[in-house]
Amino acid sequence: MKAKEFFINFSGLYSDLPTDIFGPFVIDLTSVDGTNCYCSEEASCAVRKALIEVPSEALHWIDTGDYHYASLFFLEKIRTPYTLFLFDHHPDDQDSAFGTEILSCGNWVAHARQLPNQTADFLIDRFPDEQMLRSQAEIEGVRGKKPYGCIKEDRPKAYLSIDKDVMSGDYARTNWDQGDMTLQELKNLIISISNNYDIIGADVCGGMTESKGACAEDLKINCATDAELRELLLNLMIV
């Protein structure tokens, strides 16, 4: 069974999706002020309200990396213990210029660590070094593959949050500095996690808009990468 997916449209990145196919699953937040990089308290309330019917157990496309903090709104809804796997060229757990009170794309992981059901989080920002998972044993600790669409209660749960800036410019174009991972390396890591965890939800950010300087080639590369990630994640996720 394929998982649900939703497009969280902050900047207009998803405004041109075919409405006959994706229309019901696009959450339009372009009119909400105070969301770019930082999410004010008022904006946070508006966004949470708009996402109230969007489950955490789905694939969420959350616009550019400027809105990565939206991952927190889905993690808040998870009612079972889980591990967060963050694919990102930045840790996203730093204090912003305004401290931790205002949610931002740079501090949302620090907020997520306060959630009662988040048991651990792992930052993955490059491929082959075993230190990238802080401890490779953590991901290999639970053995055994699973058939798609089947939850095993004795397996730990995982939520994946993917910022495409973890990849090099050959595979993604973003408005942040980027890492050097390849798309295939990213896919291999996702598959490795799925061999040991039930992936209950995921999100992807890191797109680029024309207003942020994207050219046709940038959009083409991002579209191709999104298509591959979409196919993989919708087949691996458990809903």
Side-chain angles (χ1 to χ4, degrees):
M1 176 180 178
K2 288 196 173 184
K4 301 174 183 177
E5 64 180 330
F6 296 87
F7 299 82
I8 316 304
N9 192 29
F10 286 98
S11 71
L13 182 64
Y14 307 127
S15 295
D16 294 331
L17 290 174
T19 56
D20 58 330
I21 300 174
F22 298 108
F25 309 107
V26 177
I27 311 300
D28 185 10
L29 299 174
T30 55
S31 63
V32 180
D33 294 326
T35 61
N36 189 10
C37 290
Y38 295 90
C39 193
S40 69
E41 184 175 349
E42 182 177 307
S44 293
C45 291
V47 173
R48 283 188 175 96
K49 183 177 180 180
L51 299 178
I52 195 166
E53 298 297 331
V54 179
S56 57
E57 296 81 8
L59 173 56
H60 314 100
W61 298 90
I62 53 175
D63 215 285
T64 73
D66 297 331
Y67 307 95
H68 200 170
Y69 61 76
S71 298
L72 179 67
F73 302 138
F74 301 115
L75 298 178
E76 290 172 341
K77 300 183 181 187
I78 299 177
R79 295 294 179 260
T80 187
Y82 70 93
T83 295
L84 170 65
F85 287 93
L86 172 63
F87 294 87
D88 202 318
H89 192 49
H90 310 88
D92 289 359
D93 63 354
Q94 308 299 305
D95 285 345
S96 71
F98 304 101
T100 58
E101 291 80 10
I102 297 180
L103 181 63
S104 76
C105 60
N107 70 12
W108 67 270
V109 173
H111 287 262
R113 287 176 181 153
Q114 306 305 312
L115 298 175
N117 286 313
Q118 183 162 309
T119 59
D121 59 90
F122 297 97
L123 172 66
I124 308 171
D125 71 350
R126 54 196 172 91
F127 188 73
D129 192 333
E130 290 192 358
Q131 294 301 313
M132 66 187 173
L133 292 180
R134 302 182 187 165
S135 170
Q136 185 68 22
E138 294 287 347
I139 193 170
E140 298 295 343
V142 181
R143 299 288 183 176
K145 295 186 177 181
K146 61 176 177 58
Y148 292 166
C150 176
I151 291 182
K152 294 184 178 180
E153 292 302 327
D154 60 340
R155 287 166 51 86
K157 308 300 184 276
Y159 184 97
L160 310 186
S161 186
I162 301 167
D163 190 328
K164 294 199 294 287
D165 71 13
V166 76
M167 291 179 281
S168 76
D170 292 333
Y171 305 96
R173 302 288 173 86
T174 77
N175 60 315
W176 297 86
D177 59 302
Q178 295 183 219
D180 58 9
M181 192 181 293
T182 69
L183 175 58
Q184 189 58 55
E185 287 171 340
L186 173 57
K187 291 170 66 175
N188 288 346
L189 284 166
I190 293 170
I191 292 169
S192 179
I193 292 170
S194 76
N195 287 339
N196 298 283
Y197 292 77
D198 285 324
I199 300 175
I200 58 174
D203 58 60
V204 181
C205 72
M208 196 172 182
T209 61
E210 292 182 3
S211 64
K212 290 290 180 82
C215 64
E217 181 68 13
D218 297 332
L219 298 175
K220 179 180 178 181
I221 287 173
N222 283 341
C223 184
T225 292
D226 286 348
E228 291 202 39
L229 289 175
R230 180 176 188 255
E231 180 180 10
L232 178 66
L233 289 167
L234 288 178
N235 279 290
L236 290 179
M237 288 170 50
I238 301 298
V239 173

